[in-house]
Amino acid sequence: AHRRAGKTVACIRDLERAALRNGRLSPPPRYAYIAPLYSQGKDAAWVYLKQGARQIPDAKVNESDLIVTYPNGATCRIYGADNPDRLRGPYLDGVVLDESADMKPEAYEEVISPQLADFSGWAVFIGTPKGRDAFYKIWVRACENPDKWYALKLPVSETKLISE
């Protein structure tokens, strides 16, 4: 999808909904938004995650760790892919990888994907392609496997959100 299409906001709302609807009690559900850099995640998504939390009674916002804890115990946290080792360890129920064209493919393949395996978690890759890179390869894979993947393309020529 093109720049300013609302990808980040839409995906943060999906993470919130998933966290609130997950009924697993133990271990508590975990969701993540991952940007290429931690500072990008904080700048691009943290404000939206906090805004959503303000609408949910008893949601707790942790400013220092960029994490929201919902009344059911589920969490949603902002990470950066610039330090993949920081991501290692915890399981994840769902993840959004924003601007994934700017991430090293190993971050998903070696670190994030195994974290999703514990609870059959899901991943969403969003961004604007930058040539035939890893993000493009994911796009092709999704288009070739519509029974396992969902692919959506939103060019500005169709959305008309930005004038010429």
Side-chain angles (χ1 to χ4, degrees):
H2 62 83
R3 303 264 178 241
R4 314 300 322 144
K7 300 177 296 285
T8 301
V9 177
C11 285
I12 287 293
R13 297 298 169 249
D14 283 344
L15 287 168
E16 291 168 338
R17 270 190 297 279
L20 289 165
R21 291 178 178 167
N22 191 318
R24 192 179 68 241
L25 298 176
S26 180
R30 291 173 132 164
Y31 296 87
Y33 168 93
I34 303 174
L37 301 172
Y38 182 77
S39 59
Q40 284 176 305
K42 184 175 184 180
D43 290 345
W46 181 234
V47 66
Y48 302 121
L49 196 57
K50 288 191 304 183
Q51 283 175 347
R54 283 191 213 114
Q55 307 303 313
I56 301 164
D58 300 322
K60 294 177 179 63
V61 174
N62 182 322
E63 285 281 348
S64 61
D65 292 328
L66 306 186
I67 187 168
V68 171
T69 304
Y70 300 99
N72 63 350
T75 59
C76 188
R77 187 172 189 165
I78 307 290
Y79 289 100
D82 48 330
N83 184 2
D85 287 331
R86 172 64 186 93
L87 298 170
R88 290 188 190 276
Y91 58 89
L92 290 170
D93 290 276
V95 64
V96 171
L97 296 107
D98 198 349
E99 297 299 349
S100 53
D102 294 331
M103 295 179 194
K104 294 179 183 175
E106 299 82 34
Y108 178 75
E109 295 164 3
E110 297 174 12
V111 180
I112 299 163
S113 180
Q115 293 172 302
L116 294 167
D118 293 342
F119 297 103
S120 299
W122 48 264
V124 174
F125 299 83
I126 61 173
T128 305
K130 294 183 175 184
R132 297 184 185 270
D133 55 12
F135 183 60
Y136 174 79
K137 290 175 185 171
I138 290 168
W139 168 257
V140 169
R141 185 174 167 191
C143 291
E144 291 174 348
N145 297 287
D147 55 321
K148 294 184 179 182
W149 292 76
Y150 174 75
L152 176 65
K153 181 179 178 181
L154 293 174
V156 72
S157 60
E158 290 179 23
T159 67
K160 304 197 186 316
L161 290 175
I162 301 172
S163 65
E164 293 182 36

